[in-house]
Amino acid sequence: MIIDNRGLEPPQPMMRTLKALDKMNSGESLAIINDRRPMFLYEELNERGYLHETEPQEDGSFKISITKTGD
């Protein structure tokens, strides 16, 4: 699943992302596309123990791949 958060003002991208993660099962992955690096989201993902990787995109946005771990 990919969630495109471009054009949204904080905290909408983070809220949409966490809501989607809450509905997922352990081991499932999600990709999000944000206008900026989601620094506060990284903190939340780390606290929850989720794996994540950020790739800068050519248009200046960032694609973050998140894998839900635990439950």
Side-chain angles (χ1 to χ4, degrees), residues 41-55:
L41 177 62
Y42 292 149
E43 292 175 19
E44 188 70 29
L45 295 175
N46 289 337
E47 281 183 21
R48 294 181 183 207
Y50 296 169
L51 304 174
H52 55 91
E53 182 179 332
T54 301
E55 301 171 51

Side-chain angles (χ1 to χ4, degrees), residues 7-52:
L8 298 176
E9 290 298 318
Q12 284 297 326
M14 183 168 161
M15 291 172 59
R16 289 178 72 192
T17 301
L18 293 176
K19 186 175 180 180
L21 286 168
D22 287 342
K23 295 178 182 177
M24 292 170 47
N25 295 317
S26 181
E28 291 184 323
S29 294
L30 165 71
I32 63 170
I33 302 173
N34 285 18
D35 290 321
R36 56 188 73 80
R37 286 185 187 270
M39 303 313 289
F40 294 112
L41 177 62
Y42 292 149
E43 292 175 19
E44 188 70 29
L45 295 175
N46 289 337
E47 281 183 21
R48 294 181 183 207
Y50 296 169
L51 304 174
H52 55 91

Side-chain angles (χ1 to χ4, degrees), residues 53-66:
E53 182 179 332
T54 301
E55 301 171 51
Q57 303 297 294
E58 288 184 17
D59 66 358
S61 65
F62 295 89
K63 179 180 178 184
I64 300 93
S65 300
I66 305 164

